[in-house]
Amino acid sequence: MTEIRIGAVAEAPIDQLLVEKLSDPQTIEHLVRLLDKLENVTFFLDMLENFLRRGPEIADSINDVVVMMRQSLSKPEYVARLEQALAAVRRMQEFLDSPQVQELFKSDVLDVRAVQLVGKVSRSMIQASTEASQTGAKRIGLLGLMRALTEPELQPALNFVLHFARNLSKELGDA
């Protein structure tokens, strides 16, 4: 067996130290965890080795980008575009920070149901406008209006209008 000597003091044989260290439960646990992750460790080391091998190439690429940026920024049109973009971003931020927009975000206007309803109303208005322009202006009297009110396809819209009127009156009364 090999013995380790430091100065005049004799140490325990190295194999005995190794056996003691390897028999320690904490060392065993660490070794098992390391062996479980050995594939990841070798993959990481391979990536690191490839990265270090390509270091000069990466540095050259970064240098080329810096040179290109310096050349671009020396042209007045690029500087003007950059300034315009920054001014636009500032204006958008001012707009978003305005009390009106903040109040809009707090309101129910942007509620999904409200947006869907506005979409339905918009599509209905466009379709009604198209149909009215194709058929021409018809004169509808009181009896014609009363007859139209009984049509089944108008009932959901009439029901909506009545509920809307009631709720709007409540909102306006509370205002």
Side-chain angles (χ1 to χ4, degrees):
M1 277 193 237
T2 309
E3 289 187 11
I4 300 176
R5 294 188 188 275
I6 299 178
V9 179
E11 296 278 328
I14 195 161
D15 343 359
Q16 185 180 354
L17 286 174
L18 184 60
V19 169
E20 286 176 18
K21 191 72 172 168
L22 288 174
S23 342
D24 181 24
Q26 189 176 8
T27 303
I28 293 171
E29 180 183 333
H30 288 301
L31 283 173
V32 167
R33 287 180 56 209
L34 179 65
L35 290 173
D36 286 344
K37 297 179 181 182
L38 192 57
E39 185 177 326
N40 292 339
V41 170
T42 56
F43 177 73
F44 173 73
L45 289 174
D46 288 342
M47 281 182 25
L48 184 61
E49 182 182 2
N50 287 334
F51 177 77
L52 292 175
R53 191 177 304 123
R54 294 188 63 206
E57 183 182 333
I58 293 170
D60 288 343
S61 296
I62 292 172
N63 188 41
D64 291 344
V65 168
V66 169
V67 168
M68 186 177 67
M69 288 177 67
R70 281 185 181 163
Q71 290 171 349
S72 295
L73 290 177
S74 65
K75 296 180 181 175
E77 63 268 11
Y78 290 121
V79 174
R81 285 183 188 166
L82 184 60
E83 288 172 350
Q84 289 172 350
L86 288 174
V89 168
R90 277 192 218 105
R91 285 193 300 264
M92 287 188 325
Q93 188 62 50
E94 289 170 6
F95 172 75
L96 292 173
D97 290 341
S98 72
Q100 297 88 346
V101 172
Q102 291 303 312
E103 194 60 35
L104 181 67
F105 288 147
K106 293 176 192 172
S107 73
D108 292 332
V109 171
L110 298 176
D111 184 283
V112 172
R113 296 167 299 181
V115 172
Q116 289 171 342
L117 182 61
V118 168
K120 289 177 184 179
V121 170
S122 297
R123 286 189 296 277
S124 299
M125 289 172 53
I126 292 168
Q127 185 63 31
S129 174
T130 302
E131 290 173 5
S133 67
Q134 290 174 351
T135 60
K138 283 189 198 176
R139 194 170 161 94
I140 300 175
L142 188 56
L143 290 176
L145 182 60
M146 301 269 288
R147 220 176 299 124
L149 290 175
T150 62
E151 291 179 19
E153 63 183 11
L154 289 181
Q155 293 304 308
L158 291 172
N159 195 19
F160 170 81
V161 168
L162 291 174
H163 284 286
F164 174 72
R166 279 190 202 105
N167 288 307
L168 181 59
S169 292
K170 289 178 188 174
E171 287 288 328
L172 292 174
D174 290 346

